Amino acid sequence: MLRTDVLVIGGGPAGISAALAASEFGLEVILVEERDFLGGQLIKQTHRFFGSKNEHAGVRGIKIVEELRDKLGSNKRISVLTGSTATGIYEDGIVTVLKNGRVEKIKPEKIVVASGAFEKYLPFENNDIPGIFGAGAVQTLMNIYGVLPAKKVLMIGSGNIGLIVSYQLVQAGVEVKAVVEAAPSIGGYLVHASKLRRQGIPIMTSPYHQKGYRYRAC
């Protein structure tokens, strides 16, 4: 039985930040991550972030992960268990964790669940057949495993995710035929859209009319 002040489930940016914050109060922390590496969504983010310096503007997500890992490595109050899956939280407060085929029991005083989220996927018929990917799946394939999802891609949605992933696809050698947007204007930053337009990729917005949607290239 392992005992700790705080158990954090999830080794993404939220989980790592929670573990570091708890340790600053002198608490002992165990951080559990099901993958063999920490970082969560940041592992996929090879582009530079926008916003304020306090929010790591100008820094790539993969570099932010390195900074967080360095902070964890030098923190003696935090124990990290990678390749470990939290399988249950029981009435007596015990948490079971599966690691290398062995079940470990952890008794924490407090639990922080930072297990991440699923992307909001567009619902339509046959959206689960081969060749149809969510943007997050594309980033996982390319930026984590180095696998191209396709040779030619049509991107649906012009939010920052759609625009950024489209540009990452271009950088990887994929032909992006167009970006299609149901709204009258793009949803992401103009700087991301401009990168695609300079590559000759049309971004097709769609003002609403009584007869339906009419796409226009911008």
Side-chain angles (χ1 to χ4, degrees):
M1 179 79 71
L2 300 175
R3 297 183 181 273
T4 186
D5 296 319
V6 180
L7 172 66
V8 179
I9 300 173
I16 296 174
S17 297
L20 291 170
S23 70
E24 291 176 0
F25 287 90
L27 300 175
E28 298 295 323
V29 182
I30 294 177
L31 175 63
V32 173
E33 166 58 42
E34 65 178 353
R35 289 178 174 175
D36 293 327
F37 50 85
L38 300 175
Q41 294 294 326
L42 288 178
I43 292 293
K44 308 175 185 180
Q45 312 306 326
T46 59
H47 60 280
R48 297 182 187 275
F49 280 27
F50 283 76
S52 66
K53 289 185 178 180
N54 292 334
E55 299 299 329
H56 298 91
V59 182
R60 302 182 191 278
I62 52 179
K63 293 298 182 182
I64 299 174
V65 171
E66 292 178 4
E67 294 178 13
L68 293 173
R69 284 173 176 168
D70 289 342
K71 291 181 180 179
L72 285 177
S74 60
N75 195 314
K76 296 181 180 181
R77 293 193 177 96
I78 302 175
S79 300
V80 179
L81 299 179
T82 55
S84 304
T85 303
T87 57
I89 301 175
Y90 297 90
E91 294 179 355
D92 55 3
I94 293 177
V95 179
T96 53
V97 174
L98 181 64
K99 181 177 177 62
N100 297 327
R102 176 184 173 87
V103 176
E104 300 283 355
K105 293 183 178 180
I106 303 175
K107 176 65 174 177
E109 295 297 322
K110 299 293 181 181
I111 301 172
V112 176
V113 179
S115 53
F118 292 98
E119 64 182 306
K120 188 176 181 180
Y121 198 66
L122 186 66
F124 58 91
E125 188 175 0
N126 295 326
N127 68 353
D128 58 348
I129 64 175
I132 299 177
F133 301 92
V138 170
Q139 284 187 312
T140 299
L141 285 172
M142 290 196 307
N143 299 344
I144 295 180
Y145 298 109
V147 176
L148 289 183
K151 294 181 179 179
K152 298 180 181 180
V153 166
L154 176 67
M155 178 65 70
I156 308 298
S158 69
N160 282 321
I161 296 291
L163 298 175
I164 290 171
V165 174
S166 293
Y167 190 66
Q168 290 176 349
L169 283 163
V170 172
Q171 290 177 308
V174 176
E175 182 183 355
V176 178
K177 305 298 290 187
V179 177
V180 178
E181 173 57 57
S185 60
I186 63 172
Y189 293 138
L190 181 60
V191 64
H192 298 314
S194 298
K195 291 179 181 179
L196 297 180
R197 296 299 294 121
R198 286 195 292 270
Q199 297 289 330
I201 300 171
I203 301 174
M204 307 179 72
T205 58
S206 177
Y208 180 78
H209 295 277
Q210 290 183 353
K211 293 183 179 180
Y213 283 91
R214 177 173 59 83
Y215 288 104
R216 66 180 181 189
C218 67

